[in-house]
Amino acid sequence: MAIETVKGKAVTIHFDGQRCVHSRNCVLDHPDVFVPNVEGEWIHPDAASADEVMRIAKNCPSGAIQCERHDGGAQEAPPVVNTVRVRENGPLAFNAPLSIRGKADGLRATLCRCGASKNKPWCDGSHAEIGFTATGEPAIAQSQPLAARDGALLIEPQHNGPLKVIGNLEIVSGTGHTINRVTKTWLCRCGHSKNKPYCDGSHSTVGFEAA
């Protein structure tokens, strides 16, 4: 699916359907900008203020919606605190200046942790189809405040293995509790770890395959 690009007077919207996890924040917050269930044009950047359109993009957890202003206003800023949110029975939602497989990947991405996505490492909603179950409230680990909480976050999917994550990162539960603070970690993406969201080596025993 090609990326849709729609230029408005103040903001250009880019929409990548392959990354969309259908959180529906866009169509619920501003159904005049993202008009659901219509034939033809459905993205209308001029239906709201530039500030509102930028806010919609910031609320898209998958990074499917990217916006750039050309009215002199501020672009989306990197977060003050890098986070990954552990979704109940669902994916890992990152918010940080991301590099995935050595390529800059914006500030938001929702990555598969059920093992079934056909668009790995990104989530494609397969967790719902396979009935994946995993808590969004993992146990809180003992951790010290990080010396820095922002900066580049490198995500390196390991061949047939977990997500290797390097950089300042707070791991956050679905209800917003910080459960760990790390500068390097390995997160499960096969769906079988008994220590989710962390890898415990189960990918080897279940024969998980992914580039």
Side-chain angles (χ1 to χ4, degrees), residues 89 114 116-118 124-132:
N89 301 330
C114 74
S117 173
K118 299 176 182 62
D124 70 354
S126 290
H127 55 273
E129 296 175 16
I130 67 170
F132 177 65

Side-chain angles (χ1 to χ4, degrees), residues 81-86 137-146 149 167-173 176-187 195-199:
V81 180
N82 291 345
T83 58
V84 57
R85 295 181 181 270
V86 182
E137 301 294 323
I140 295 176
Q142 291 285 344
S143 63
Q144 297 299 316
L146 299 173
R149 306 171 77 190
N168 303 315
L169 181 66
E170 298 201 10
I171 302 174
V172 180
S173 75
H177 296 96
T178 295
I179 61 171
N180 207 352
R181 303 171 181 88
V182 298
T183 55
K184 181 186 290 186
T185 191
W186 285 261
L187 300 177
N195 189 34
K196 298 181 186 73
Y198 313 103
C199 172

Side-chain angles (χ1 to χ4, degrees), residues 92 94 111-112 121 155-157 161-165 185-187 189:
L92 299 165
F94 288 86
L111 303 187
C112 174
I155 301 177
E156 301 173 1
L163 297 172
K164 180 181 179 182
V165 184
T185 191
W186 285 261
L187 300 177
R189 66 172 182 140

